[in-house]
Amino acid sequence: MIKTQMEMYLHEELETLTRTEIEALQFERLLRTVRRCMKSPFYQKRFAEAHLSPEDIRSLDDLRKIPFTTKQDLRDNYPFGLAAVPMSEVVRLHSSSGTTGTPTVILHTQKDLDEWANAVARCLYMVGLRRGDVFQNSSGYGMFTGGLGFQYGAERLGMLTVPAAAGNTKRQIKFITDFGTTALHAIPSYASRIHEVMEEMGIDPVRDTKLRTLVIGAEPHSEEQRRKIEKMLGVKAYNSFGMSEMCGPGVAFECTEQNGMHIWEDYYIVEIVDPQTLEPVPDGEVGELVLTTINREAMPLLRYRTRDLTRILPGDCPCGRHHKRLDRMKGRSDDMMILKGVNIFPIQIETVLMQFEELGTDYLITLTNEEANDLMTVEVELKEFSDDYPRLQALTREITRQLKDEILLTPVVRLVPKGTLPKQEGKAVRVRDLRRTLI
Amino acid sequence: MIKTQMEMYLHEELETLTRTEIEALQFERLLRTVRRCMKSPFYQKRFAEAHLSPEDIRSLDDLRKIPFTTKQDLRDNYPFGLAAVPMSEVVRLHSSSGTTGTPTVILHTQKDLDEWANAVARCLYMVGLRRGDVFQNSSGYGMFTGGLGFQYGAERLGMLTVPAAAGNTKRQIKFITDFGTTALHAIPSYASRIHEVMEEMGIDPVRDTKLRTLVIGAEPHSEEQRRKIEKMLGVKAYNSFGMSEMCGPGVAFECTEQNGMHIWEDYYIVEIVDPQTLEPVPDGEVGELVLTTINREAMPLLRYRTRDLTRILPGDCPCGRHHKRLDRMKGRSDDMMILKGVNIFPIQIETVLMQFEELGTDYLITLTNEEANDLMTVEVELKEFSDDYPRLQALTREITRQLKDEILLTPVVRLVPKGTLPKQEGKAVRVRDLRRTLI
Ligand SMILES: [Zn+2]
Ligand SMILES: [Zn+2]
């Protein structure tokens, strides 16, 4: 099936399903997945313990009868305890580095790799990339899923792929200019670095390169940062969401509206739950992303707790896809603070602070309590200290006002000189909870 | 087409062609390739300059009418001057690092990648690897062709692939033990390093791992080194030959006879020429390997001078394949010395020296002349110096005798203490030619 340049959808049938059709397909695939899971020693046991059998799943809502799967489950059953096919059918594994504890492993059959490539190809096609484009991938390869993941997806689309891999910025730039790279996959901070080195080399990204599309992901960043990168490099930058537990890249991706990432609901069932109660939260509210793979053979995961915080953007997307849209990730559920019964995430504070040109990038949130009264103090570093006190006072007031708008609580804001906030192993400490528990 | 464990050939029809059939297929594919080359600006010009047209190729022997292609040609036409298809049909490029001058680029269509994967799969199948094996690839990925090359080939075969990528030896070993790796691709020196670290970790490769097959290549090594590695790790080690200009891995590979690497003559036409006269040398004699791609779309290369020195092993192989066998590479043609009209390569000297346990790995060959009389002096470092002069004298005599057997000339041999030979940028200098040209 040859696609013309003008066609909007790579997999038109799947991308334009109505909500009813999506849910019908999801239920069908969920049933198949649950049955498949009964071949994995881990899920056999898990279902038995929950007194659950595949026959108990009679509707999409029955998904909630199934216990969650966690990263710890993957660790406890390392390496192959979640395999739902004979190991002779597995053609690839990706392993996490395991720098923090036992590594985890994800398994793929040939069909899994094929469907993964399809998902990535669909994402790239969605933002206008076509055969004839030159796609440069600055991900690490090998065990990093961004390497082989984008490689296979971009090849599937028939683009000229440049497997640049990570590092050596000057060489990346030489590839961009020599090969006429039109699309680059890079994490946001690396895209900024490429621009910086281009400037040093006297290369104007608009005049001297054909770069028009940037795929960014893997690293938290704000809308402001995205717009800045787009302006610097003269590109459109699209957010990509993936995680190795769900293959890697290709889970959710922005369409040309740049307003939330469509999650491919023919591959995944998405839930957003309160990280405390584990109850679902309504669309539009932030919670922990929980994903169920429904298009995977080797190692299906049921209700996997990703620990990533995000929300479903309510409403329809003008692009014609009814696949739900995820907001950019808002941090990790482990970072969530509960203050006066309200869930607050450091990224919310950060997003507000980053809008002020006078502020640096380091900040510290301290939580204290006095007589059951929770108090938040936000210390933030100034880029340059000044003794223009009236200006500093006004700035403090404005920051406080905007934070209150965001988190619905009034914090105490303190501006401090650069380099004065505490660091731990070189990394900034973001949150310090000094509240005493009242019994 | 499902293969049983017992079948010997992955592509039986192609692997068991008779010489007559191979040559008929080669001629047919050569004609197609030459016609294809006429779409590349470079070959159009090259043929015009040689007053040659595709119609002049009327037999396989007519290949010799075609001028050689060199690495310099690739550089001069960087990046896309040798493309024989529209760039929109190219789905991958691999670029050399270009640390020594302009980089070179090799282009691949989807079919090229497919055939590359087939070639690598055929190699791995030939040495007994099958679906059910666990194949760990310690190559660098990205632009290094050993990464994606072995990845696609091993996946094609349905093995469980572990894309370990280069480096982190302890992690490589953890992969080997945790995932039950049965086959490892590594350069010889890295295989030794893995064994060394296993010893430190108290891991016995035979008792504690399932490792049985090693694929080694990319680095010159001797038969002695191979046997040593096999013994250390308790594996069979198979030589692999590839080069990025010919895709990467998958050009030539040993069968289970471990006696020369079958070059896939349905992909390549092989010639061995004298690096000075560029005339063909008879089978069995060392010369420069020249390859013509006859199964490539994006960027065919006609009579490419690889600069690698090797020879065709005469005689039939008991495995039933009539594809010619290459001896292991004997260095680069640029390193060739001509002494009293005899072509000599440093690797010949090295192979002899490495058989003596008393000797270290560093040596220096110095060429001088006195009145048109060429003289070779070989200085070689002793592992440990001793004052047992009679022993040293006997050793010197024995080395001289064996060198004479190999190169048919009598060199002067000098044993020197460790660390006394000159180095250049950390690398040992192998040859110093101090001969004055006599006019
Ligand atoms: Zn949309
Ligand atoms: Zn053989």
Side-chain angles (χ1 to χ4, degrees):
Chain A
M1 169 186 57
I2 302 294
K3 290 272 165 185
T4 70
Q5 287 292 109
M6 293 301 294
E7 285 181 76
M8 275 185 68
Y9 311 103
L10 182 63
H11 310 130
E12 182 155 359
E13 257 178 65
L14 290 163
E15 288 178 69
T16 59
L17 293 173
T18 63
R19 286 305 310 166
T20 315
E21 289 165 338
I22 286 176
E23 282 163 23
L25 179 65
Q26 285 189 321
F27 178 56
E28 180 199 320
R29 292 189 170 185
L30 174 64
L31 279 187
R32 202 195 306 162
T33 299
V34 167
R35 273 185 237 115
R36 182 179 291 281
C37 281
M38 291 307 102
K39 294 179 196 156
S40 115
F42 167 77
Y43 278 117
Q44 276 170 16
K45 190 156 166 269
R46 182 61 57 98
F47 269 61
E49 283 164 1
H51 305 290
L52 200 66
S53 93
E55 288 69 44
D56 297 323
I57 311 300
R58 293 194 200 89
S59 72
L60 211 45
D61 285 340
D62 285 341
L63 175 67
R64 292 184 52 202
K65 294 179 181 169
I66 302 174
F68 292 96
T69 305
T70 65
K71 189 158 196 131
Q72 193 56 45
D73 291 327
L74 301 192
R75 290 194 178 122
D76 292 344
N77 295 277
Y78 171 88
F80 303 144
L82 274 91
V85 297
M87 286 308 291
S88 61
E89 288 179 29
V90 178
V91 301
R92 172 117 52 93
L93 65 76
H94 282 273
S95 172
S96 70
S97 69
T99 43
T100 54
T102 312
T104 57
V105 161
I106 301 295
L107 308 172
H108 304 277
T109 64
Q110 192 64 62
K111 180 169 176 293
D112 291 338
L113 293 187
D114 196 53
E115 291 286 11
W116 181 10
N118 282 337
V120 173
R122 185 195 290 179
C123 295
L124 299 173
Y125 193 94
M126 178 162 64
V127 297
L129 298 181
R130 298 289 184 274
R131 174 180 293 270
D133 272 297
V134 180
F135 183 86
Q136 183 169 329
N137 186 9
S138 79
S139 272
Y141 276 66
M143 286 298 183
F144 295 104
T145 56
L148 293 174
F150 275 109
Q151 183 65 40
Y152 281 55
E155 270 174 23
R156 174 68 43 100
L157 220 48
M159 292 195 277
L160 169 45
T161 61
V162 180
N168 199 337
T169 310
K170 283 199 175 152
R171 195 165 167 241
Q172 299 275 359
I173 293 169
K174 187 170 166 57
F175 289 160
I176 291 172
T177 53
D178 289 1
F179 304 147
T181 298
T182 60
L184 175 72
H185 169 236
I187 56 172
S189 61
Y190 196 58
S192 301
R193 174 71 190 145
I194 284 177
H195 177 258
E196 205 174 283
V197 177
M198 276 186 177
E199 277 201 325
E200 284 167 23
M201 295 167 76
I203 290 172
D204 178 328
V206 175
R207 190 192 58 205
D208 304 328
T209 82
K210 294 183 177 164
L211 207 56
R212 297 299 171 262
T213 306
L214 199 67
V215 173
I216 52 180
E219 199 184 49
H221 64 282
S222 65
E223 188 59 22
E224 290 69 29
Q225 277 177 295
R226 183 236 294 262
R227 295 304 170 196
K228 217 168 122 187
I229 290 172
E230 286 190 326
K231 220 177 139 192
M232 283 188 323
L233 289 173
V235 297
K236 281 273 175 193
Y238 297 100
N239 283 320
S240 160
F241 173 70
M243 61 190 319
S244 63
E245 293 95 321
M246 302 295 131
C247 283
V251 178
F253 210 88
E254 282 187 334
C255 64
T256 50
E257 299 293 322
Q258 295 185 308
N259 184 18
M261 301 175 284
H262 289 286
I263 178 158
W264 300 125
E265 291 185 88
D266 49 331
Y267 284 77
Y268 305 101
I269 299 175
V270 53
E271 299 172 86
I272 308 283
V273 304
D274 184 298
Q276 294 294 309
T277 65
L278 299 178
E279 290 299 313
V281 303
D283 281 5
E285 278 189 25
V286 171
E288 181 177 329
L289 178 68
V290 171
L291 293 175
T292 297
T293 66
I294 51 171
N295 196 20
R296 192 147 86 177
E297 293 182 337
M299 189 172 158
L301 293 176
L302 303 176
R303 306 193 81 200
Y304 183 73
R305 289 189 62 185
T306 67
R307 303 282 167 187
D308 279 314
L309 296 167
T310 185
R311 61 189 183 115
I312 302 281
L313 295 178
D316 286 332
C317 185
C319 77
R321 291 174 187 85
H322 301 286
H323 296 255
K324 287 179 180 168
R325 285 167 303 147
L326 300 182
D327 201 356
R328 34 160 63 68
M329 296 301 121
K330 304 197 168 298
R332 309 280 299 164
S333 63
D334 314 289
D335 300 335
M336 188 179 77
M337 305 169 274
I338 307 175
L339 219 78
K340 295 182 181 172
V342 178
N343 295 356
I344 301 176
F345 306 103
I347 189 83
Q348 294 178 275
I349 314 285
E350 184 167 329
T351 307
V352 169
L353 298 179
M354 272 192 302
Q355 289 166 27
F356 291 89
E357 280 201 354
E358 297 90 340
L359 304 180
T361 52
D362 280 350
Y363 63 91
L364 174 63
I365 302 164
T366 305
L367 306 178
T368 50
N369 60 353
E370 282 173 33
E371 292 175 10
N373 203 2
D374 286 340
L375 187 72
M376 178 189 285
T377 306
V378 177
E379 294 167 276
V380 56
E381 293 186 355
L382 281 164
K383 258 189 206 144
E384 288 169 48
F385 207 73
S386 101
D387 52 5
D388 183 353
Y389 299 116
R391 214 191 100 230
L392 292 182
Q393 221 166 2
L395 182 61
T396 305
R397 260 200 309 273
E398 181 57 21
I399 296 170
T400 310
R401 198 186 60 74
Q402 289 204 21
L403 281 176
K404 194 192 166 195
D405 276 2
E406 174 65 33
I407 61 174
L408 311 175
L409 295 166
T410 307
V412 175
V413 173
R414 287 212 185 103
L415 305 179
V416 301
K418 205 176 164 174
T420 55
L421 290 176
K423 301 257 190 304
Q424 220 164 34
E425 291 171 16
K427 282 177 75 175
V429 181
R430 295 303 194 203
V431 180
R432 206 166 44 164
D433 194 341
L434 305 177
R435 290 175 292 183
R436 276 171 303 154
T437 316
L438 303 171
I439 310 172
Chain B
M1 171 185 55
I2 302 293
K3 291 271 165 186
T4 70
Q5 288 290 108
M6 292 300 293
E7 284 182 78
M8 274 185 69
Y9 311 103
L10 182 62
H11 309 129
E12 183 156 358
E13 256 179 65
L14 290 163
E15 288 178 69
T16 58
L17 293 174
T18 63
R19 285 307 309 166
T20 315
E21 289 167 338
I22 287 176
E23 282 164 23
L25 180 64
Q26 287 190 319
F27 179 57
E28 181 199 319
R29 291 189 170 185
L30 174 64
L31 278 187
R32 203 196 304 161
T33 300
V34 168
R35 273 186 235 115
R36 184 179 288 282
C37 281
M38 291 307 100
K39 294 180 196 154
S40 116
F42 168 76
Y43 277 117
Q44 276 170 17
K45 192 156 163 269
R46 183 57 60 96
F47 269 60
E49 282 165 1
H51 305 291
L52 199 67
S53 93
E55 288 70 43
D56 297 324
I57 310 300
R58 294 193 200 89
S59 73
L60 211 46
D61 285 339
D62 286 340
L63 175 66
R64 290 184 54 203
K65 293 179 180 169
I66 302 174
F68 292 98
T69 305
T70 65
K71 189 158 196 133
Q72 193 56 45
D73 291 327
L74 301 191
R75 290 191 178 125
D76 293 344
N77 295 278
Y78 171 89
F80 303 145
L82 274 91
V85 297
M87 286 307 292
S88 61
E89 288 178 29
V90 179
V91 302
R92 172 118 52 93
L93 66 75
H94 282 273
S95 174
S96 70
S97 69
T99 43
T100 54
T102 313
T104 56
V105 161
I106 301 294
L107 308 172
H108 304 278
T109 64
Q110 192 65 60
K111 178 168 178 292
D112 290 338
L113 293 186
D114 197 52
E115 291 287 11
W116 181 10
N118 283 337
V120 173
R122 186 195 291 178
C123 295
L124 299 173
Y125 192 94
M126 178 162 62
V127 297
L129 299 180
R130 298 288 184 273
R131 174 179 294 271
D133 272 298
V134 180
F135 183 86
Q136 183 168 329
N137 186 9
S138 80
S139 272
Y141 276 65
M143 285 299 183
F144 294 103
T145 55
L148 293 174
F150 275 108
Q151 183 65 41
Y152 281 57
E155 270 174 23
R156 174 69 43 97
L157 218 49
M159 292 193 278
L160 169 45
T161 62
V162 180
N168 200 336
T169 309
K170 281 199 177 155
R171 198 166 166 238
Q172 300 276 358
I173 294 169
K174 187 171 167 56
F175 289 161
I176 291 171
T177 53
D178 289 2
F179 304 148
T181 298
T182 61
L184 174 70
H185 169 236
I187 57 172
S189 60
Y190 196 57
S192 301
R193 174 73 190 144
I194 285 177
H195 176 256
E196 204 175 283
V197 177
M198 276 185 177
E199 277 203 324
E200 285 168 25
M201 296 166 76
I203 291 172
D204 178 327
V206 175
R207 189 193 58 206
D208 304 329
T209 83
K210 294 184 178 164
L211 207 55
R212 296 300 170 260
T213 305
L214 199 67
V215 172
I216 51 179
E219 201 184 45
H221 64 282
S222 65
E223 188 59 23
E224 290 69 32
Q225 278 177 295
R226 183 237 294 263
R227 295 302 170 198
K228 217 167 122 185
I229 291 171
E230 286 191 326
K231 218 177 140 192
M232 284 186 326
L233 290 172
V235 298
K236 281 273 176 193
Y238 296 99
N239 283 320
S240 160
F241 173 70
M243 60 191 318
S244 62
E245 293 96 321
M246 302 294 129
C247 283
V251 178
F253 210 88
E254 282 186 333
C255 65
T256 50
E257 298 294 321
Q258 294 187 308
N259 184 19
M261 301 176 283
H262 288 286
I263 177 157
W264 301 124
E265 292 185 87
D266 49 331
Y267 285 77
Y268 305 101
I269 298 175
V270 56
E271 299 172 84
I272 308 283
V273 302
D274 184 297
Q276 294 293 309
T277 64
L278 300 179
E279 291 299 313
V281 303
D283 281 7
E285 279 189 25
V286 170
E288 182 177 330
L289 178 68
V290 171
L291 293 174
T292 297
T293 67
I294 51 172
N295 196 19
R296 192 147 86 176
E297 293 183 336
M299 189 172 159
L301 292 176
L302 302 176
R303 306 194 81 201
Y304 183 73
R305 290 189 59 184
T306 67
R307 305 281 167 186
D308 279 316
L309 295 167
T310 186
R311 60 188 185 117
I312 302 281
L313 295 178
D316 287 334
C317 186
C319 77
R321 290 173 188 88
H322 301 285
H323 296 256
K324 288 179 180 168
R325 287 167 302 147
L326 300 182
D327 201 356
R328 32 158 67 67
M329 296 300 124
K330 303 198 168 297
R332 308 280 298 164
S333 62
D334 315 291
D335 299 336
M336 188 178 76
M337 304 168 274
I338 307 176
L339 219 78
K340 295 181 182 172
V342 179
N343 295 355
I344 301 176
F345 306 102
I347 189 83
Q348 294 177 274
I349 314 284
E350 185 166 328
T351 307
V352 169
L353 297 179
M354 272 192 304
Q355 290 165 26
F356 291 89
E357 280 202 351
E358 297 90 340
L359 303 180
T361 52
D362 280 350
Y363 63 91
L364 173 64
I365 301 163
T366 306
L367 306 179
T368 50
N369 61 351
E370 281 173 34
E371 293 175 9
N373 203 1
D374 286 343
L375 188 73
M376 177 189 283
T377 304
V378 177
E379 293 169 277
V380 55
E381 293 186 356
L382 281 164
K383 258 188 206 146
E384 288 169 48
F385 206 73
S386 100
D387 53 5
D388 183 353
Y389 299 117
R391 213 189 101 232
L392 294 182
Q393 222 168 359
L395 182 59
T396 306
R397 258 200 310 270
E398 181 57 20
I399 296 170
T400 309
R401 198 185 61 74
Q402 290 203 21
L403 281 175
K404 194 191 164 195
D405 277 0
E406 174 65 33
I407 60 174
L408 310 176
L409 295 167
T410 309
V412 174
V413 173
R414 286 212 185 104
L415 305 178
V416 301
K418 204 176 167 176
T420 55
L421 290 176
K423 300 254 190 308
Q424 219 163 35
E425 289 170 16
K427 282 176 75 174
V429 181
R430 294 303 193 202
V431 180
R432 205 167 45 162
D433 194 340
L434 306 177
R435 289 175 292 182
R436 275 170 304 153
T437 315
L438 303 173
I439 308 172

